[in-house]
């Protein structure tokens, strides 16, 4: 029997379910049904969305469809959205637009999507570029000023918690060293056994910040499922490979956000198993054998200060 999905307590006192449904790259025409399936046919009660995914409208329809069945209520569901890089001076506006897209009157968590600012008046509303095709970086981007706007959004009640995403240890330390009144509740980062991020994970733990793992299967095509050690563990525990990668996070106290638009996989990804201490250690050390692999590398033209960050390869946003 699969274990129930545990909840983790945030620094706000609210709880967050440890397994959520990712919606990055979930196509329109499919994501509404995916969200509905997760909320009505599986124990998943956590949906991770973002303004820049350009599918919040359908994500919201899926949530509202699920509520209309009477199987779940709004307060049973944890909904996250994010403020994108051209909106850092317009946090309230971005949140309001996301709420409108989602058809909700509050979200449970609002994240700074990336610690990068792009020109809000550039040649594209989300990903402006200069004539040389490089991103049109906003040199006036001020992380503290943005965070102050997040604190105001939190006080407004339209989001029940605020946090960050794609923050490396040096960037998060910089924010934490400022005179902020709300400590981020979470840091959502790419995380899997090939990118365990011990430095950022330890910093988050020391400050009571919950780590949320995106791309836990390696993103498009789930390339990490073919690793021989992951396969060996899947055979040992008699579960799908995805369950091993998801369980690693759940066992170690992180939130994990597998993305799928396939109903059977969404159901599979709601399951986790207790892994032995030895097997967790094996997964912790996998990158020592196979090397570090970062899948999502945006060429922002800004140093994000991740220890393993380099210019290649680059994932499509
Ligand atoms: P799809 O959405 O077509 O079902 P990640 O969570 O690391 O971002 O990985 C997402 C990718 O993994 C998508 O291509 C998704 O495909 C695929 N995927 C999600 N869950 C599973 C699973 N349980 N088994 C195999 N592939 C999966």
């Amino acid at each position: 029997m699969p274990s129930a999905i545990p909840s983790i307590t945030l620094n706000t006192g609210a709880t967050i379910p440890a397994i959520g449904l990712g919606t990055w790259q979930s196509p329109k025409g499919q994501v509404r049904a995916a969200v509905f399936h997760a909320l009505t046919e599986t124990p998943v009660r956590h949906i991770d969305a973002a303004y820049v995914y350009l599918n919040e409208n359908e994500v919201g329809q899926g949530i509202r469809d699920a509520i209309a069945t009477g199987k779940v209520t709004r307060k049973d569901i944890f909904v996250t959205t994010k403020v994108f890089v051209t909106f850092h001076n317009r946090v309230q506006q971005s949140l309001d637009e996301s709420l409108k897209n989602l058809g909700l009157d509050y979200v449970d968590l609002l994240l700074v999507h990336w610690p990068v600012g792009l020109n809000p008046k550039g040649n594209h509303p989300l990903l402006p570029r200069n004539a040389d095709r490089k991103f049109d970086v906003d040199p006036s981007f001020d992380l503290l000023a943005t965070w102050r706007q997040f604190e105001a959004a939190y006080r407004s009640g339209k989001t029940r918690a605020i946090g960050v995403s794609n923050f490396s240890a040096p960037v998060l330390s910089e924010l934490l060293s400022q005179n902020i009144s709300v400590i981020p509740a979470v840091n959502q980062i790419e995380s899997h056994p090939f990118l365990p991020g011990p430095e950022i994970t330890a910093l988050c733990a020391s400050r009571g910040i919950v780590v949320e793992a995106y791309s836990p299967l390696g993103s498009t095509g789930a390339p990490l499922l073919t690793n021989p050690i992951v396969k060996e563990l899947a055979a040992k525990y008699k579960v799908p490979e995805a369950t091993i990668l998801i369980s690693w996070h759940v066992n170690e106290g992180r939130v994990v956000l597998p993305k799928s638009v396939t109903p059977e996989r969404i159901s599979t990804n709601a399951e986790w198993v207790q892994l032995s201490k030895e097997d967790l250690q094996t997964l912790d050390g996998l990158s020592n054998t196979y090397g570090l692999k970062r899948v999502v590398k945006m060429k922002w033209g800004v140093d994000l200060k991740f220890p393993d960050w380099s210019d290649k390869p680059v994932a499509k946003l």
Side-chain angles (χ1 to χ4, degrees):
M1 270 298 284
S3 311
I5 297 174
S7 283
I8 301 173
T9 303
L10 299 174
N11 64 8
T12 57
T15 57
I16 184 169
I19 300 177
L21 177 70
T23 63
W24 178 40
Q25 296 181 316
S26 295
K28 289 185 192 168
Q30 297 180 34
V31 69
R32 177 179 182 171
V35 169
F36 181 76
H37 178 83
L39 296 176
T40 58
E41 301 295 333
T42 85
V44 171
R45 297 290 178 269
H46 174 176
I47 308 294
D48 186 77
Y51 185 87
V52 75
Y53 301 165
L54 302 176
N55 59 9
E56 278 182 310
N57 195 295
E58 275 210 20
V59 168
Q61 283 176 324
I63 292 171
R64 282 176 282 119
D65 293 346
I67 292 171
T69 64
K71 289 186 182 176
V72 287
T73 65
R74 171 66 186 92
K75 70 174 170 45
D76 298 329
I77 309 168
F78 192 102
V79 182
T80 299
T81 193
K82 313 183 188 89
V83 175
F84 201 55
V85 295
T86 44
F87 279 86
H88 286 153
N89 293 323
R90 298 172 290 161
V91 169
Q92 194 66 56
Q93 181 191 332
S94 179
L95 174 56
D96 286 342
E97 286 186 30
S98 286
L99 290 173
K100 196 166 155 215
N101 290 338
L102 291 162
L104 301 176
D105 52 15
Y106 71 92
V107 288
D108 297 277
L109 178 62
L110 183 71
L111 304 182
V112 179
H113 203 146
W114 289 88
V116 172
L118 295 193
N119 184 358
K121 296 189 174 135
N123 66 356
H124 187 277
L126 295 167
L127 292 168
R129 290 178 189 268
N130 293 315
D132 61 6
R133 302 295 302 146
K134 291 193 170 139
F135 284 124
D136 186 358
V137 174
D138 179 358
S140 71
F141 169 58
D142 178 346
L143 184 54
L144 179 60
T146 297
W147 190 249
R148 295 256 184 268
Q149 293 192 29
F150 270 72
E151 291 174 335
Y154 178 52
R155 284 192 299 273
S156 78
K158 290 183 185 174
T159 182
R160 301 272 162 98
I162 52 175
V164 299
S165 183
N166 297 299
F167 275 44
S168 62
V171 173
L172 183 57
S173 295
E174 189 190 316
L175 179 64
L176 294 172
S177 71
Q178 314 259 13
N179 183 24
I180 56 176
S181 49
V182 182
I183 303 286
V186 314
N187 184 15
Q188 184 179 126
I189 52 177
E190 179 180 338
S191 178
H192 40 68
F194 304 87
L195 193 65
E199 197 188 1
I200 184 61
T201 305
L203 173 64
C204 288
S206 75
R207 299 301 300 262
I209 299 168
V210 172
V211 172
E212 296 189 314
Y214 73 71
S215 299
L217 312 179
S219 196
T220 309
L224 306 187
L225 301 182
T226 58
N227 175 267
I229 305 290
V230 174
K231 289 182 91 65
E232 210 175 276
L233 290 172
K236 175 176 168 183
Y237 287 88
K238 300 188 172 54
V239 295
E241 285 77 6
T243 305
I244 297 297
L245 292 169
I246 288 165
S247 300
W248 177 63
H249 292 291
V250 176
N251 279 256
E252 295 192 353
R254 294 180 291 271
V255 170
V256 57
L257 302 167
K259 171 266 174 184
S260 179
V261 289
T262 313
E264 309 78 62
R265 290 174 175 174
I266 295 169
S267 297
T268 297
N269 296 350
E271 294 173 15
W272 69 285
V273 288
Q274 297 276 356
L275 300 173
S276 72
K277 205 169 152 208
E278 293 71 34
D279 292 333
L280 288 172
Q281 278 167 357
T282 299
L283 291 166
D284 291 343
L286 221 53
S287 64
N288 298 330
T289 310
Y290 293 94
L292 290 169
K293 293 190 207 318
R294 182 181 291 279
V295 185
V296 179
K297 283 191 186 185
M298 292 297 295
K299 280 192 172 181
W300 293 117
V302 171
D303 183 8
L304 295 183
K305 301 182 182 163
F306 280 104
D308 61 324
W309 192 273
S310 75
D311 274 352
K312 50 186 179 223
V314 176
K316 253 180 71 206
L317 185 74

